[in-house]
Amino acid sequence: MVLYKGPRLLDLAKTPEHLQFNKYVLTGYRPVSTAQECLRSLFYMHNELGNIYTHGALPIIHITLLCYPAVRTIALLAYILLSAYGIYSATTARTNVLRLRAFAWQALFRFSLFLFRVYGSGVGSPDSLRLFVIMDSLAVLGGVVNIIQIPERFSPGLFDNWGNSHQIMHVMVICAIIYLHWGTLEDLAWIKSYQCPTE
């Protein structure tokens, strides 16, 4: 994807320290850029292009899912707010471990909802719980892949532009959000037909 001839890209050693997130991604770093140069970077190849486009996919998915009237639930809104907090915290963290820790509140929120469902304090479709387990499994697996930096750890430089752990994590998070959507739809359909017990 080369629609614009970008600046000369840097290798890891010449990249500012605060931009060196992955020691196995060796080339293709953008130089420090102005806002206009950052916008232009959407149209030439560099090692963050896949990350930029997968970051852009997440808000589009969130907005699309919120447009469905049946999905405007308080739980989904809380999840999105916690996701936004996690993304903000992760972008300001200096290490992979701190980035992962930034999502702790979101994980605690999801785990507490899971416990409510399992132990009977919360209710929902029996079929949706497996969708939420798949969602969390994908999110955790994506975080682990990003922290241990696979596959680029095994072939430094080979995955500089495409297929590195950060991009894999983004795709897994997108898949997790789709499972969240399916689980929420399953719960909402169940709620429509649920009859409260009379005592």
Side-chain angles (χ1 to χ4, degrees), residues 124-183:
S125 168
D127 296 329
S128 68
L129 196 54
R130 71 177 171 77
L131 296 170
F132 295 128
V133 169
I134 293 170
M135 174 200 69
D136 283 332
S137 299
L138 286 169
V140 168
L141 184 60
V144 168
V145 164
N146 190 42
I147 283 180
I148 59 178
Q149 299 174 328
I150 290 178
E152 64 270 17
R153 171 183 295 272
F154 300 117
S155 294
L158 182 62
F159 300 98
D160 285 0
N161 289 331
W162 298 108
N164 62 52
S165 58
H166 196 86
Q167 293 167 356
I168 292 170
M169 183 261 308
H170 282 206
V171 170
M172 294 180 95
V173 167
I174 290 169
C175 292
I177 289 170
I178 291 169
Y179 274 93
L180 168 68
H181 176 66
W182 290 338

Tab-separated table of all heavy atoms in Angstrom, residues 124-183:
chain	number	residue	atom	x	y	z
A	124	GLY	N	-29.245	-15.074	32.416
A	124	GLY	CA	-29.097	-14.819	30.998
A	124	GLY	C	-29.277	-16.117	30.252
A	124	GLY	O	-29.523	-17.175	30.843
A	125	SER	N	-29.152	-16.054	28.971
A	125	SER	CA	-29.316	-17.233	28.141
A	125	SER	C	-28.254	-18.276	28.483
A	125	SER	O	-27.068	-17.942	28.591
A	125	SER	CB	-29.183	-16.846	26.669
A	125	SER	OG	-29.070	-17.999	25.872
A	126	PRO	N	-28.665	-19.523	28.657
A	126	PRO	CA	-27.670	-20.574	28.900
A	126	PRO	C	-26.685	-20.707	27.738
A	126	PRO	O	-25.551	-21.121	27.935
A	126	PRO	CB	-28.513	-21.849	29.036
A	126	PRO	CG	-29.904	-21.387	29.294
A	126	PRO	CD	-30.031	-20.022	28.700
A	127	ASP	N	-27.108	-20.333	26.534
A	127	ASP	CA	-26.235	-20.451	25.361
A	127	ASP	C	-25.219	-19.313	25.251
A	127	ASP	O	-24.219	-19.442	24.556
A	127	ASP	CB	-27.079	-20.496	24.086
A	127	ASP	CG	-27.967	-21.731	24.032
A	127	ASP	OD1	-27.550	-22.774	24.581
A	127	ASP	OD2	-29.065	-21.651	23.460
A	128	SER	N	-25.482	-18.191	25.907
A	128	SER	CA	-24.585	-17.044	25.742
A	128	SER	C	-23.313	-17.168	26.569
A	128	SER	O	-22.293	-16.584	26.204
A	128	SER	CB	-25.299	-15.745	26.098
A	128	SER	OG	-25.581	-15.696	27.481
A	129	LEU	N	-23.349	-17.910	27.638
A	129	LEU	CA	-22.173	-17.991	28.511
A	129	LEU	C	-20.954	-18.515	27.749
A	129	LEU	O	-19.851	-18.008	27.911
A	129	LEU	CB	-22.472	-18.863	29.734
A	129	LEU	CG	-21.492	-18.729	30.885
A	129	LEU	CD1	-21.330	-17.287	31.327
A	129	LEU	CD2	-21.933	-19.590	32.051
A	130	ARG	N	-21.158	-19.514	26.894
A	130	ARG	CA	-20.024	-20.046	26.123
A	130	ARG	C	-19.451	-18.982	25.186
A	130	ARG	O	-18.244	-18.921	24.959
A	130	ARG	CB	-20.427	-21.300	25.361
A	130	ARG	CG	-21.346	-21.056	24.216
A	130	ARG	CD	-21.677	-22.311	23.410
A	130	ARG	NE	-22.722	-22.024	22.476
A	130	ARG	CZ	-22.551	-21.366	21.336
A	130	ARG	NH1	-21.349	-20.960	21.003
A	130	ARG	NH2	-23.565	-21.128	20.533
A	131	LEU	N	-20.320	-18.095	24.656
A	131	LEU	CA	-19.832	-17.025	23.789
A	131	LEU	C	-18.962	-16.039	24.569
A	131	LEU	O	-17.942	-15.563	24.067
A	131	LEU	CB	-21.009	-16.301	23.135
A	131	LEU	CG	-21.857	-17.162	22.191
A	131	LEU	CD1	-23.132	-16.430	21.798
A	131	LEU	CD2	-21.072	-17.572	20.969
A	132	PHE	N	-19.347	-15.761	25.822
A	132	PHE	CA	-18.548	-14.862	26.650
A	132	PHE	C	-17.224	-15.509	27.074
A	132	PHE	O	-16.205	-14.830	27.191
A	132	PHE	CB	-19.347	-14.391	27.865
A	132	PHE	CG	-20.536	-13.547	27.494
A	132	PHE	CD1	-21.794	-13.836	27.976
A	132	PHE	CD2	-20.403	-12.458	26.649
A	132	PHE	CE1	-22.896	-13.067	27.638
A	132	PHE	CE2	-21.491	-11.671	26.291
A	132	PHE	CZ	-22.737	-11.978	26.783
A	133	VAL	N	-17.237	-16.822	27.277
A	133	VAL	CA	-15.983	-17.533	27.605
A	133	VAL	C	-15.039	-17.483	26.408
A	133	VAL	O	-13.834	-17.244	26.559
A	133	VAL	CB	-16.277	-18.985	28.049
A	133	VAL	CG1	-15.002	-19.799	28.122
A	133	VAL	CG2	-17.000	-18.996	29.394
A	134	ILE	N	-15.585	-17.697	25.207
A	134	ILE	CA	-14.755	-17.594	23.995
A	134	ILE	C	-14.209	-16.175	23.860
A	134	ILE	O	-13.031	-15.978	23.543
A	134	ILE	CB	-15.559	-17.999	22.743
A	134	ILE	CG1	-15.888	-19.495	22.786
A	134	ILE	CG2	-14.792	-17.658	21.463
A	134	ILE	CD1	-16.882	-19.958	21.733
A	135	MET	N	-15.057	-15.167	24.117
A	135	MET	CA	-14.630	-13.770	24.034
A	135	MET	C	-13.437	-13.518	24.955
A	135	MET	O	-12.411	-12.988	24.538
A	135	MET	CB	-15.774	-12.834	24.415
A	135	MET	CG	-15.367	-11.378	24.495
A	135	MET	SD	-16.476	-10.327	25.444
A	135	MET	CE	-16.239	-10.910	27.098
A	136	ASP	N	-13.574	-13.909	26.213
A	136	ASP	CA	-12.485	-13.676	27.162
A	136	ASP	C	-11.249	-14.476	26.814
A	136	ASP	O	-10.126	-14.003	26.991
A	136	ASP	CB	-12.949	-13.987	28.585
A	136	ASP	CG	-13.817	-12.878	29.157
A	136	ASP	OD1	-13.640	-11.715	28.741
A	136	ASP	OD2	-14.668	-13.169	30.009
A	137	SER	N	-11.431	-15.689	26.328
A	137	SER	CA	-10.285	-16.516	25.946
A	137	SER	C	-9.504	-15.859	24.811
A	137	SER	O	-8.263	-15.826	24.834
A	137	SER	CB	-10.743	-17.911	25.515
A	137	SER	OG	-11.401	-18.555	26.576
A	138	LEU	N	-10.218	-15.342	23.820
A	138	LEU	CA	-9.545	-14.644	22.723
A	138	LEU	C	-8.804	-13.404	23.211
A	138	LEU	O	-7.675	-13.141	22.796
A	138	LEU	CB	-10.572	-14.249	21.649
A	138	LEU	CG	-11.105	-15.379	20.785
A	138	LEU	CD1	-12.300	-14.896	19.961
A	138	LEU	CD2	-10.021	-15.924	19.884
A	139	ALA	N	-9.446	-12.637	24.095
A	139	ALA	CA	-8.810	-11.421	24.613
A	139	ALA	C	-7.549	-11.744	25.411
A	139	ALA	O	-6.507	-11.109	25.234
A	139	ALA	CB	-9.800	-10.636	25.468
A	140	VAL	N	-7.630	-12.754	26.273
A	140	VAL	CA	-6.462	-13.147	27.087
A	140	VAL	C	-5.356	-13.692	26.193
A	140	VAL	O	-4.181	-13.332	26.345
A	140	VAL	CB	-6.869	-14.170	28.172
A	140	VAL	CG1	-5.651	-14.797	28.814
A	140	VAL	CG2	-7.746	-13.492	29.221
A	141	LEU	N	-5.719	-14.558	25.253
A	141	LEU	CA	-4.723	-15.126	24.347
A	141	LEU	C	-4.041	-14.034	23.531
A	141	LEU	O	-2.816	-14.047	23.359
A	141	LEU	CB	-5.371	-16.167	23.430
A	141	LEU	CG	-4.430	-16.916	22.500
A	141	LEU	CD1	-3.368	-17.679	23.289
A	141	LEU	CD2	-5.217	-17.875	21.618
A	142	GLY	N	-4.813	-13.057	23.072
A	142	GLY	CA	-4.220	-11.937	22.352
A	142	GLY	C	-3.238	-11.158	23.205
A	142	GLY	O	-2.161	-10.781	22.747
A	143	GLY	N	-3.599	-10.928	24.478
A	143	GLY	CA	-2.687	-10.236	25.395
A	143	GLY	C	-1.409	-11.021	25.634
A	143	GLY	O	-0.309	-10.464	25.651
A	144	VAL	N	-1.532	-12.327	25.790
A	144	VAL	CA	-0.354	-13.178	26.021
A	144	VAL	C	0.553	-13.171	24.787
A	144	VAL	O	1.780	-13.044	24.904
A	144	VAL	CB	-0.780	-14.617	26.400
A	144	VAL	CG1	0.398	-15.573	26.363
A	144	VAL	CG2	-1.434	-14.625	27.777
A	145	VAL	N	-0.040	-13.306	23.590
A	145	VAL	CA	0.745	-13.269	22.345
A	145	VAL	C	1.509	-11.953	22.258
A	145	VAL	O	2.690	-11.925	21.902
A	145	VAL	CB	-0.171	-13.466	21.115
A	145	VAL	CG1	0.518	-13.059	19.820
A	145	VAL	CG2	-0.649	-14.907	21.027
A	146	ASN	N	0.862	-10.850	22.624
A	146	ASN	CA	1.514	-9.550	22.560
A	146	ASN	C	2.650	-9.432	23.580
A	146	ASN	O	3.703	-8.887	23.276
A	146	ASN	CB	0.483	-8.441	22.778
A	146	ASN	CG	1.044	-7.074	22.476
A	146	ASN	OD1	1.762	-6.886	21.507
A	146	ASN	ND2	0.717	-6.104	23.297
A	147	ILE	N	2.443	-9.954	24.767
A	147	ILE	CA	3.483	-9.848	25.795
A	147	ILE	C	4.698	-10.703	25.472
A	147	ILE	O	5.836	-10.270	25.638
A	147	ILE	CB	2.912	-10.225	27.176
A	147	ILE	CG1	2.090	-9.075	27.702
A	147	ILE	CG2	4.019	-10.555	28.160
A	147	ILE	CD1	1.489	-9.318	29.045
A	148	ILE	N	4.461	-11.920	24.981
A	148	ILE	CA	5.622	-12.790	24.707
A	148	ILE	C	6.188	-12.570	23.307
A	148	ILE	O	7.190	-13.155	22.941
A	148	ILE	CB	5.319	-14.279	24.970
A	148	ILE	CG1	4.154	-14.775	24.120
A	148	ILE	CG2	5.045	-14.516	26.430
A	148	ILE	CD1	3.849	-16.244	24.322
A	149	GLN	N	5.541	-11.706	22.533
A	149	GLN	CA	6.029	-11.228	21.239
A	149	GLN	C	6.315	-12.370	20.256
A	149	GLN	O	7.398	-12.485	19.699
A	149	GLN	CB	7.243	-10.321	21.435
A	149	GLN	CG	6.872	-9.108	22.261
A	149	GLN	CD	8.029	-8.227	22.616
A	149	GLN	OE1	9.150	-8.673	22.791
A	149	GLN	NE2	7.755	-6.936	22.729
A	150	ILE	N	5.254	-13.177	20.061
A	150	ILE	CA	5.324	-14.263	19.087
A	150	ILE	C	4.498	-13.834	17.873
A	150	ILE	O	3.393	-13.320	18.051
A	150	ILE	CB	4.746	-15.564	19.701
A	150	ILE	CG1	5.700	-16.062	20.769
A	150	ILE	CG2	4.525	-16.620	18.650
A	150	ILE	CD1	5.213	-17.299	21.484
A	151	PRO	N	4.963	-13.978	16.678
A	151	PRO	CA	6.036	-14.820	16.156
A	151	PRO	C	7.363	-14.116	15.945
A	151	PRO	O	8.375	-14.767	15.673
A	151	PRO	CB	5.472	-15.276	14.806
A	151	PRO	CG	4.689	-14.106	14.342
A	151	PRO	CD	4.088	-13.501	15.589
A	152	GLU	N	7.408	-12.778	16.056
A	152	GLU	CA	8.638	-12.054	15.715
A	152	GLU	C	9.822	-12.419	16.601
A	152	GLU	O	10.968	-12.271	16.202
A	152	GLU	CB	8.398	-10.540	15.714
A	152	GLU	CG	8.033	-9.944	17.043
A	152	GLU	CD	6.548	-9.923	17.311
A	152	GLU	OE1	5.782	-10.632	16.648
A	152	GLU	OE2	6.160	-9.175	18.224
A	153	ARG	N	9.570	-12.941	17.797
A	153	ARG	CA	10.650	-13.368	18.691
A	153	ARG	C	11.522	-14.439	18.016
A	153	ARG	O	12.724	-14.492	18.216
A	153	ARG	CB	10.051	-13.906	19.983
A	153	ARG	CG	11.024	-14.585	20.916
A	153	ARG	CD	10.318	-15.143	22.140
A	153	ARG	NE	9.753	-14.103	22.966
A	153	ARG	CZ	10.406	-13.469	23.942
A	153	ARG	NH1	11.660	-13.785	24.211
A	153	ARG	NH2	9.818	-12.540	24.650
A	154	PHE	N	10.889	-15.292	17.204
A	154	PHE	CA	11.597	-16.410	16.584
A	154	PHE	C	12.260	-16.042	15.265
A	154	PHE	O	13.144	-16.762	14.804
A	154	PHE	CB	10.646	-17.597	16.381
A	154	PHE	CG	10.062	-18.078	17.675
A	154	PHE	CD1	8.695	-18.005	17.890
A	154	PHE	CD2	10.867	-18.566	18.694
A	154	PHE	CE1	8.142	-18.437	19.092
A	154	PHE	CE2	10.332	-18.984	19.894
A	154	PHE	CZ	8.969	-18.930	20.094
A	155	SER	N	11.841	-14.946	14.651
A	155	SER	CA	12.429	-14.480	13.387
A	155	SER	C	12.469	-12.959	13.388
A	155	SER	O	11.690	-12.309	12.681
A	155	SER	CB	11.606	-14.979	12.195
A	155	SER	OG	11.668	-16.367	12.088
A	156	PRO	N	13.374	-12.359	14.193
A	156	PRO	CA	13.419	-10.894	14.245
A	156	PRO	C	13.591	-10.295	12.851
A	156	PRO	O	14.399	-10.760	12.059
A	156	PRO	CB	14.649	-10.615	15.124
A	156	PRO	CG	14.781	-11.842	15.968
A	156	PRO	CD	14.355	-12.978	15.087
A	157	GLY	N	12.772	-9.296	12.566
A	157	GLY	CA	12.824	-8.606	11.287
A	157	GLY	C	11.848	-9.143	10.254
A	157	GLY	O	11.420	-8.415	9.372
A	158	LEU	N	11.472	-10.402	10.335
A	158	LEU	CA	10.574	-11.001	9.338
A	158	LEU	C	9.152	-10.451	9.428
A	158	LEU	O	8.464	-10.317	8.425
A	158	LEU	CB	10.560	-12.528	9.496
A	158	LEU	CG	9.709	-13.300	8.490
A	158	LEU	CD1	10.238	-13.081	7.063
A	158	LEU	CD2	9.700	-14.779	8.819
A	159	PHE	N	8.707	-10.107	10.630
A	159	PHE	CA	7.336	-9.647	10.846
A	159	PHE	C	7.273	-8.157	11.161
A	159	PHE	O	6.364	-7.705	11.849
A	159	PHE	CB	6.694	-10.462	11.979
A	159	PHE	CG	6.640	-11.930	11.679
A	159	PHE	CD1	7.602	-12.790	12.182
A	159	PHE	CD2	5.640	-12.442	10.874
A	159	PHE	CE1	7.568	-14.146	11.901
A	159	PHE	CE2	5.591	-13.791	10.587
A	159	PHE	CZ	6.553	-14.645	11.095
A	160	ASP	N	8.237	-7.408	10.666
A	160	ASP	CA	8.277	-5.975	10.975
A	160	ASP	C	7.016	-5.241	10.519
A	160	ASP	O	6.472	-4.422	11.260
A	160	ASP	CB	9.504	-5.330	10.332
A	160	ASP	CG	10.788	-5.673	11.070
A	160	ASP	OD1	10.723	-6.405	12.075
A	160	ASP	OD2	11.855	-5.221	10.625
A	161	ASN	N	6.541	-5.514	9.304
A	161	ASN	CA	5.388	-4.783	8.774
A	161	ASN	C	4.068	-5.504	8.970
A	161	ASN	O	3.054	-4.868	9.215
A	161	ASN	CB	5.581	-4.474	7.290
A	161	ASN	CG	6.648	-3.410	7.068
A	161	ASN	OD1	6.866	-2.558	7.906
A	161	ASN	ND2	7.327	-3.485	5.938
A	162	TRP	N	4.032	-6.799	8.837
A	162	TRP	CA	2.771	-7.544	8.903
A	162	TRP	C	2.937	-8.814	9.710
A	162	TRP	O	3.956	-9.489	9.621
A	162	TRP	CB	2.274	-7.900	7.497
A	162	TRP	CG	1.977	-6.699	6.675
A	162	TRP	CD1	2.702	-6.231	5.622
A	162	TRP	CD2	0.893	-5.782	6.843
A	162	TRP	NE1	2.137	-5.079	5.129
A	162	TRP	CE2	1.026	-4.785	5.854
A	162	TRP	CE3	-0.180	-5.711	7.724
A	162	TRP	CZ2	0.132	-3.726	5.720
A	162	TRP	CZ3	-1.072	-4.661	7.591
A	162	TRP	CH2	-0.917	-3.686	6.609
A	163	GLY	N	1.927	-9.122	10.499
A	163	GLY	CA	1.882	-10.395	11.216
A	163	GLY	C	2.600	-10.419	12.546
A	163	GLY	O	2.802	-11.497	13.105
A	164	ASN	N	2.964	-9.262	13.092
A	164	ASN	CA	3.638	-9.280	14.394
A	164	ASN	C	2.611	-9.410	15.521
A	164	ASN	O	1.410	-9.325	15.314
A	164	ASN	CB	4.549	-8.054	14.577
A	164	ASN	CG	3.809	-6.741	14.543
A	164	ASN	OD1	2.830	-6.544	15.263
A	164	ASN	ND2	4.263	-5.830	13.699
A	165	SER	N	3.114	-9.644	16.711
A	165	SER	CA	2.249	-9.960	17.859
A	165	SER	C	1.236	-8.862	18.162
A	165	SER	O	0.110	-9.155	18.551
A	165	SER	CB	3.104	-10.238	19.092
A	165	SER	OG	3.925	-9.121	19.402
A	166	HIS	N	1.612	-7.619	17.997
A	166	HIS	CA	0.689	-6.527	18.297
A	166	HIS	C	-0.507	-6.557	17.341
A	166	HIS	O	-1.653	-6.375	17.755
A	166	HIS	CB	1.417	-5.181	18.217
A	166	HIS	CG	0.668	-4.069	18.858
A	166	HIS	ND1	0.762	-3.782	20.201
A	166	HIS	CD2	-0.212	-3.170	18.349
A	166	HIS	CE1	-0.027	-2.754	20.489
A	166	HIS	NE2	-0.627	-2.364	19.380
A	167	GLN	N	-0.233	-6.822	16.068
A	167	GLN	CA	-1.312	-6.914	15.097
A	167	GLN	C	-2.176	-8.152	15.351
A	167	GLN	O	-3.405	-8.084	15.240
A	167	GLN	CB	-0.749	-6.964	13.677
A	167	GLN	CG	-0.078	-5.667	13.288
A	167	GLN	CD	0.741	-5.794	12.031
A	167	GLN	OE1	0.890	-6.868	11.454
A	167	GLN	NE2	1.306	-4.687	11.596
A	168	ILE	N	-1.549	-9.267	15.708
A	168	ILE	CA	-2.305	-10.480	16.036
A	168	ILE	C	-3.231	-10.198	17.221
A	168	ILE	O	-4.402	-10.581	17.219
A	168	ILE	CB	-1.356	-11.655	16.329
A	168	ILE	CG1	-0.632	-12.075	15.045
A	168	ILE	CG2	-2.108	-12.838	16.944
A	168	ILE	CD1	0.501	-13.054	15.267
A	169	MET	N	-2.707	-9.514	18.244
A	169	MET	CA	-3.519	-9.162	19.410
A	169	MET	C	-4.717	-8.301	18.999
A	169	MET	O	-5.830	-8.530	19.449
A	169	MET	CB	-2.654	-8.428	20.437
A	169	MET	CG	-3.371	-8.063	21.727
A	169	MET	SD	-3.975	-6.362	21.836
A	169	MET	CE	-2.573	-5.386	21.445
A	170	HIS	N	-4.506	-7.326	18.109
A	170	HIS	CA	-5.615	-6.483	17.657
A	170	HIS	C	-6.695	-7.309	16.973
A	170	HIS	O	-7.892	-7.116	17.230
A	170	HIS	CB	-5.114	-5.425	16.680
A	170	HIS	CG	-4.427	-4.284	17.339
A	170	HIS	ND1	-4.355	-3.037	16.778
A	170	HIS	CD2	-3.763	-4.188	18.508
A	170	HIS	CE1	-3.689	-2.219	17.577
A	170	HIS	NE2	-3.310	-2.903	18.629
A	171	VAL	N	-6.296	-8.227	16.102
A	171	VAL	CA	-7.273	-9.059	15.393
A	171	VAL	C	-8.033	-9.940	16.390
A	171	VAL	O	-9.254	-10.107	16.284
A	171	VAL	CB	-6.576	-9.905	14.308
A	171	VAL	CG1	-7.513	-10.952	13.731
A	171	VAL	CG2	-6.038	-8.994	13.202
A	172	MET	N	-7.331	-10.476	17.395
A	172	MET	CA	-8.000	-11.313	18.396
A	172	MET	C	-8.984	-10.494	19.226
A	172	MET	O	-10.064	-10.984	19.584
A	172	MET	CB	-6.976	-12.023	19.264
A	172	MET	CG	-6.168	-13.031	18.453
A	172	MET	SD	-4.960	-13.885	19.430
A	172	MET	CE	-5.912	-15.331	19.825
A	173	VAL	N	-8.655	-9.259	19.518
A	173	VAL	CA	-9.569	-8.391	20.268
A	173	VAL	C	-10.800	-8.067	19.422
A	173	VAL	O	-11.924	-8.050	19.931
A	173	VAL	CB	-8.847	-7.107	20.739
A	173	VAL	CG1	-9.828	-6.058	21.233
A	173	VAL	CG2	-7.845	-7.451	21.844
A	174	ILE	N	-10.602	-7.836	18.135
A	174	ILE	CA	-11.743	-7.604	17.253
A	174	ILE	C	-12.654	-8.828	17.249
A	174	ILE	O	-13.883	-8.706	17.356
A	174	ILE	CB	-11.271	-7.242	15.827
A	174	ILE	CG1	-10.645	-5.846	15.832
A	174	ILE	CG2	-12.424	-7.321	14.825
A	174	ILE	CD1	-9.910	-5.486	14.559
A	175	CYS	N	-12.064	-10.017	17.146
A	175	CYS	CA	-12.867	-11.253	17.197
A	175	CYS	C	-13.579	-11.375	18.546
A	175	CYS	O	-14.743	-11.785	18.603
A	175	CYS	CB	-11.986	-12.470	16.944
A	175	CYS	SG	-11.347	-12.555	15.257
A	176	ALA	N	-12.903	-11.014	19.626
A	176	ALA	CA	-13.519	-11.078	20.957
A	176	ALA	C	-14.735	-10.151	21.031
A	176	ALA	O	-15.765	-10.512	21.602
A	176	ALA	CB	-12.492	-10.712	22.038
A	177	ILE	N	-14.636	-8.964	20.448
A	177	ILE	CA	-15.758	-8.029	20.469
A	177	ILE	C	-16.940	-8.581	19.678
A	177	ILE	O	-18.098	-8.400	20.061
A	177	ILE	CB	-15.317	-6.644	19.950
A	177	ILE	CG1	-14.407	-5.995	20.995
A	177	ILE	CG2	-16.505	-5.744	19.645
A	177	ILE	CD1	-13.720	-4.748	20.534
A	178	ILE	N	-16.655	-9.268	18.599
A	178	ILE	CA	-17.741	-9.893	17.831
A	178	ILE	C	-18.439	-10.957	18.681
A	178	ILE	O	-19.668	-11.042	18.692
A	178	ILE	CB	-17.197	-10.459	16.507
A	178	ILE	CG1	-16.785	-9.296	15.603
A	178	ILE	CG2	-18.228	-11.364	15.823
A	178	ILE	CD1	-15.988	-9.695	14.389
A	179	TYR	N	-17.670	-11.755	19.437
A	179	TYR	CA	-18.287	-12.742	20.330
A	179	TYR	C	-19.082	-12.057	21.446
A	179	TYR	O	-20.135	-12.551	21.860
A	179	TYR	CB	-17.242	-13.696	20.917
A	179	TYR	CG	-16.965	-14.849	20.003
A	179	TYR	CD1	-15.932	-14.808	19.078
A	179	TYR	CD2	-17.759	-15.999	20.048
A	179	TYR	CE1	-15.694	-15.869	18.219
A	179	TYR	CE2	-17.526	-17.067	19.205
A	179	TYR	CZ	-16.489	-16.996	18.281
A	179	TYR	OH	-16.263	-18.047	17.429
A	180	LEU	N	-18.591	-10.918	21.942
A	180	LEU	CA	-19.354	-10.142	22.919
A	180	LEU	C	-20.701	-9.739	22.326
A	180	LEU	O	-21.743	-9.861	22.968
A	180	LEU	CB	-18.570	-8.896	23.347
A	180	LEU	CG	-19.349	-7.851	24.140
A	180	LEU	CD1	-19.718	-8.381	25.516
A	180	LEU	CD2	-18.550	-6.564	24.247
A	181	HIS	N	-20.671	-9.271	21.102
A	181	HIS	CA	-21.895	-8.861	20.423
A	181	HIS	C	-22.869	-10.037	20.302
A	181	HIS	O	-24.052	-9.909	20.633
A	181	HIS	CB	-21.544	-8.299	19.048
A	181	HIS	CG	-22.715	-7.929	18.217
A	181	HIS	ND1	-23.572	-6.911	18.549
A	181	HIS	CD2	-23.186	-8.449	17.062
A	181	HIS	CE1	-24.515	-6.814	17.632
A	181	HIS	NE2	-24.304	-7.744	16.726
A	182	TRP	N	-22.372	-11.188	19.839
A	182	TRP	CA	-23.233	-12.359	19.686
A	182	TRP	C	-23.815	-12.806	21.029
A	182	TRP	O	-24.981	-13.166	21.125
A	182	TRP	CB	-22.479	-13.516	19.042
A	182	TRP	CG	-22.145	-13.286	17.593
A	182	TRP	CD1	-22.761	-12.430	16.721
A	182	TRP	CD2	-21.113	-13.933	16.846
A	182	TRP	NE1	-22.173	-12.505	15.487
A	182	TRP	CE2	-21.162	-13.421	15.528
A	182	TRP	CE3	-20.156	-14.883	17.167
A	182	TRP	CZ2	-20.293	-13.842	14.533
A	182	TRP	CZ3	-19.292	-15.311	16.170
A	182	TRP	CH2	-19.359	-14.797	14.875
A	183	GLY	N	-22.978	-12.791	22.081
A	183	GLY	CA	-23.459	-13.169	23.412
A	183	GLY	C	-24.518	-12.219	23.932
A	183	GLY	O	-25.515	-12.634	24.533
